[in-house]
Amino acid sequence: MHDYFKFLPMLCLIASSAAQAKDLDKNDIGRCSWGGSMMGLAQSQFLAGKPLAKLLGEMQQVKYPEDWMAGDMKNIVQATYENNLRDSPEKIKAAFIEECIQYHLNQ
């Protein structure tokens, strides 16, 4: 496991569905992908110097298609900023998706 995300277990719990199946279903994959995209976006804004409060305010104005997305977005964005990493958004996104999928496979 990468040392990128000290909050990864919490984020994966957020991204997980209620099912405890060993096989990934498309919802798990979709949530991991969506979470990775959110983390990549947050990382790009962090590297650009955008303040956390401003990004959260902008992201809270978005109408999300699923009820769980707004809460997950807030937690993912906060964790990204708290990690204080200088890695590229693409690297952060890929690591999140990989670790999220591994988490689901190990359930």
Side-chain angles (χ1 to χ4, degrees):
M1 183 187 287
H2 300 288
D3 292 327
Y4 294 128
F5 309 111
K6 63 184 173 184
F7 299 109
L8 185 63
M10 175 196 65
L11 293 174
C12 286
L13 286 175
I14 291 167
S16 69
S17 65
Q20 296 293 316
K22 294 260 185 203
D23 294 328
L24 288 177
D25 63 32
K26 69 180 184 177
N27 290 332
D28 292 332
I29 294 168
R31 286 185 96 159
C32 288
S33 178
W34 182 85
S37 293
M38 288 293 101
M39 191 161 265
L41 174 66
Q43 182 69 4
S44 68
Q45 297 303 300
F46 171 75
L47 293 174
K50 181 174 275 189
L52 174 60
K54 184 172 183 173
L55 178 58
L56 284 174
E58 292 171 359
M59 298 296 286
Q60 288 171 344
Q61 299 302 313
V62 174
K63 296 286 186 189
Y64 295 98
E66 300 290 337
D67 292 338
W68 55 265
M69 289 178 163
D72 283 12
M73 174 278 304
K74 182 179 178 184
N75 291 325
I76 289 169
V77 169
Q78 287 176 326
T80 303
Y81 272 68
E82 289 170 5
N83 282 328
N84 199 29
L85 298 173
R86 307 307 298 173
D87 292 330
S88 72
E90 295 79 17
K91 187 173 182 179
I92 296 290
K93 176 182 177 179
F96 178 92
I97 293 170
E98 176 186 332
E99 291 176 16
C100 182
I101 288 172
Q102 285 303 313
Y103 171 83
H104 287 289
L105 289 173
N106 294 324
Q107 285 288 304

